[in-house]
Amino acid sequence: GLVLDYDGTAVETSRRGHPPAFKVTSQLIRLLEGGVPVSFATGRGGSIGEELRQVIPASLWPLVRLGLYNGAAMFGLGDAPRAVPTAADITAFMEAMARHPKMARLVPLTKTQPYQVSVTAQEPMTPVGLREEIVRAWDVGELPRLRAFCSGHSVDVLSNGVSKLNVCRSLARALGVDETALLCIGDSGAWPGNDYELLASPMSLSVDNLSPE
């Protein structure tokens, strides 16, 4: 089985919002036609399914699984969308962010999803720099403590128990194999990248930053 990150891996960051390019989809289709199941581990929601259904034949959809919101919710590519409630710890985090005067200035762009909050800082602050500010606020008790990882464009604050490794566990159970039998590919393997956990597994490859493991 194959577990893929999406933005920055299957899709170039500059093409975010578009389906994977032909050079990627042709290889995905080749693997799927050979019976290799593919799961995507992404911080995004249902938009990834809309993009993949444009380029993957419907006959292959049963072999494709989507681990949305960084692995918080699992869907098949052909599944109808269903509502996912917002986790209580994410609601509490957002309420605390709204009351925090410095965070209100640092984070003008915030996207709340059921199991995560994606925050984008104003330039010139980088995602890593913004994450450091959030961690400082945790350490001094100004915000509820959760976990936060960086992508190339934002910081994802995750609900408790959410991990891209959930995607690996789900696929491994479905196949009746150990998680170490899966090949994992991502781009943000270096700490605190959002593929850090995924690319610390024995069978992993990075298209950009490497895990120290």
Side-chain angles (χ1 to χ4, degrees):
L2 175 64
V3 178
L4 279 172
D5 172 51
Y6 194 70
D7 293 309
T9 301
V11 175
E12 294 182 48
T13 302
S14 60
R15 283 180 47 84
R16 193 170 185 272
H18 298 276
F22 175 76
K23 63 184 178 181
V24 174
T25 57
S26 61
Q27 297 304 313
L28 288 175
I29 291 170
R30 179 181 65 83
L31 292 170
L32 292 166
E33 288 179 338
V36 178
V38 177
S39 290
F40 289 90
T42 176
R44 279 218 251 161
S47 60
I48 176 181
E50 297 170 6
E51 294 169 15
L52 290 171
R53 284 190 289 272
Q54 296 178 41
V55 292
I56 295 178
S59 61
L60 300 175
W61 291 357
L63 285 171
V64 181
R65 298 160 67 88
L66 310 178
L68 308 182
Y69 315 120
N70 280 295
M74 295 299 304
F75 292 82
L77 183 54
D79 290 349
R82 63 180 187 268
V84 180
T86 302
D89 54 2
I90 291 298
T91 299
F93 181 83
M94 284 303 300
E95 291 173 350
M97 283 275 285
R99 296 191 300 267
H100 195 289
K102 186 174 183 180
M103 286 297 165
R105 294 196 309 272
L106 288 175
V107 187
L109 298 176
T110 304
K111 183 177 181 180
T112 305
Q113 294 173 311
Y115 290 92
Q116 70 180 34
V117 178
S118 295
V119 291
T120 304
Q122 296 188 70
E123 293 183 352
M125 179 170 281
T126 65
V128 172
L130 175 57
R131 182 185 179 278
E132 290 175 353
E133 287 291 336
I134 293 172
V135 171
R136 184 203 64 77
W138 286 340
D139 288 344
V140 297
E142 296 173 351
L143 292 175
R145 181 179 291 276
L146 296 174
R147 294 193 307 152
F149 295 98
C150 296
S151 69
H153 58 279
S154 66
V155 178
D156 291 338
V157 179
L158 307 182
S159 177
N160 286 312
V162 171
S163 170
K164 287 189 175 183
L165 291 180
N166 294 341
V167 183
C168 297
R169 296 180 187 118
S170 176
L171 181 57
R173 283 196 303 269
L175 296 174
V177 300
D178 189 81
E179 294 169 38
T180 58
L182 305 176
L183 175 62
C184 302
I185 304 177
D187 67 319
S188 300
W191 178 260
N194 63 358
D195 294 320
Y196 172 77
E197 294 176 318
L198 188 68
L199 300 189
S201 60
M203 289 287 288
S204 63
L205 294 170
S206 177
V207 301
D208 192 1
N209 295 318
L210 293 170
S211 166
E213 302 298 325

